[in-house]
Amino acid sequence: MPPRRVIIDTDTAGDDALAILMAVLSDRLDVDGVTVVAGNVEFDYQVENAKYALRLAGADDVPVHEGARRPLLKDFEHADYVHGEGGLGGELFPDTGIPSADEHAVDYVLRTVREDPGEVSLVCIGPLTNVAMALQREPDLDDYVDEVWVMGGAVNAPGNVTPAAEFNFWVDPDAAKLVLRELDVTLVDWGLTLDASVLGAEAFDRFAAFDTAYADFFRTIAEPVREFTREEQGVDGATQPDSLTVALAMAPELRGAAGTYYADVDEREGLTRGHSVVDTADVADAPARTRVIESADADLFEELFAGMLEEGDPERPL
Ligand code: BDR
Ligand code: CA
């Protein structure tokens, strides 16, 4: 199988950076470019974090395209209380000197998918502002892209940033709503993140023995997140929503149950902003086009992660 060509759309904090690392180290994925969107931390930090992750993997020839610096319509807050000020745990502030690509992220996405229709997939691990802007410019975007993987939403469950909403959908609910309406999305939500991507105390102990730059990077990023998760969510571990999304896109072996449903997002301000509803009961009488990954192999995910950190080979267990 030739590698799947992907564009990674990211608000690069720590878990995004590890996801970028996984994607560029994977032989099954061919990362065409990285696009950056407003989200986790201050925009310019995110851009540097993406470049740093690429350089760490020897992939700094992959272009980084800067995109939307704010959501379509709403005000928002960063999640630096989780990821640290710069997004990489709070101590690491890269200054790579790598220039960003000239082309705006949205122009780049549209040009790339139009040049090779049906050949490029989007892996979206941040708020969906860039993708929504691409849709506004090209309403037939669905005809041009291959797969669209989205980390976002909390499928009929509590969110991580408000009781109703997961962070990516909360930041730009207008964008999330549009993307779910107009594209055939495969969704990796916050609930699956908790089920299948928590690297717990045992994983931390195991990874502590790995003497590589990748494992060092993981420790820098993940120790503060582990502390936050322990204090705020009562779980001793670090969630990896974005790496889980990349891993699922690259490795079908990881995927468990999935169902395709109608899904919608509440874009109104207030308590339900960013809430995602997945119509599992089929009451909406609306087209089912969102494929929800409902379970995944948590042990295998940890093994992919271990392969990445120990040998730079996320496919080692496959
Ligand atoms: C998502 O929000 C961000 O903080 C993470 O990078 C991830 O994409 C989880 O809700
Ligand atoms: Ca993210």
Side-chain angles (χ1 to χ4, degrees):
M1 282 285 282
R4 178 186 293 276
R5 232 173 117 194
V6 296
I7 294 171
I8 309 225
D9 189 47
T10 161
D11 57 335
T12 319
D15 61 325
D16 296 73
L18 292 165
I20 291 172
L21 207 56
M22 185 176 279
V24 291
L25 290 171
S26 162
D27 293 334
R28 295 185 182 188
L29 299 179
D30 172 11
V31 181
D32 192 277
V34 169
T35 53
V36 180
V37 65
N40 276 320
V41 294
E42 201 266 308
F43 193 87
D44 294 334
Y45 287 144
Q46 298 183 150
V47 172
E48 270 303 310
N49 296 344
K51 292 171 181 172
Y52 186 83
L54 291 169
R55 173 166 285 173
L56 195 63
D60 49 3
D61 54 327
V62 173
V64 174
H65 295 263
E66 300 183 20
R69 286 176 169 261
R70 61 191 63 84
L72 292 180
L73 299 168
K74 303 278 194 292
D75 290 331
F76 78 112
E77 279 159 34
H78 297 303
D80 42 13
Y81 53 88
V82 186
H83 304 286
E85 186 194 339
L88 299 182
E91 301 289 330
L92 178 61
F93 294 86
D95 183 10
T96 61
I98 301 170
S100 295
D102 290 339
E103 211 176 10
H104 188 279
V106 175
D107 293 323
Y108 158 71
V109 167
L110 290 175
R111 178 178 58 76
T112 307
V113 302
R114 282 172 176 150
E115 273 170 12
D116 294 304
E119 285 188 13
V120 182
S121 294
L122 306 180
V123 179
C124 309
I125 54 176
L128 289 163
T129 320
N130 285 340
V131 185
M133 287 168 69
L135 263 171
Q136 288 169 331
R137 296 253 309 275
E138 176 51 86
D140 292 329
L141 185 61
D142 201 46
D143 296 340
Y144 289 95
V145 291
D146 185 8
E147 297 187 346
V148 181
W149 286 78
V150 168
M151 191 286 129
V155 173
N156 305 342
N160 59 347
V161 67
T162 73
E166 175 281 333
F167 180 77
N168 290 337
F169 279 18
W170 177 85
V171 169
D172 198 340
D174 304 280
K177 189 178 184 79
L178 186 68
V179 167
L180 290 186
R181 196 178 69 209
E182 298 296 333
L183 298 175
D184 290 333
V185 161
T186 300
L187 196 66
V188 177
D189 84 312
W190 181 248
L192 189 66
T193 296
L194 293 177
D195 280 351
S197 83
V198 181
L199 300 172
E202 272 177 35
F204 272 82
D205 289 348
R206 178 182 175 202
F207 299 169
F210 300 167
D211 182 19
T212 64
Y214 304 131
D216 282 346
F217 189 48
F218 170 78
R219 285 186 280 271
T220 305
I221 289 171
E223 282 294 355
V225 175
R226 179 185 184 185
E227 212 174 291
F228 174 86
T229 315
R230 192 166 35 213
E231 278 169 20
E232 298 297 320
Q233 293 161 355
V235 179
D236 183 14
T239 52
Q240 300 297 328
D242 296 346
S243 302
L244 178 64
T245 306
V246 166
L248 285 162
M250 112 196 175
E253 296 92 328
L254 209 61
R255 301 175 201 162
T260 300
Y261 310 100
Y262 173 70
D264 198 2
V265 177
D266 193 338
E267 82 288 15
R268 296 169 297 180
E269 285 290 16
L271 207 52
T272 58
R273 168 177 166 168
H275 182 61
S276 49
V277 179
V278 172
D279 186 12
T280 48
D282 202 15
V283 294
D285 193 24
R289 68 182 310 185
T290 301
R291 178 170 67 135
V292 178
I293 306 290
E294 293 166 328
S295 62
D297 185 335
D299 295 335
L300 184 55
F301 175 70
E302 188 176 315
E303 289 310 314
L304 297 184
F305 219 90
M308 168 172 87
L309 297 186
E310 193 173 18
E311 293 180 3
D313 180 11
E315 274 121 20
R316 184 173 71 175
L318 300 176

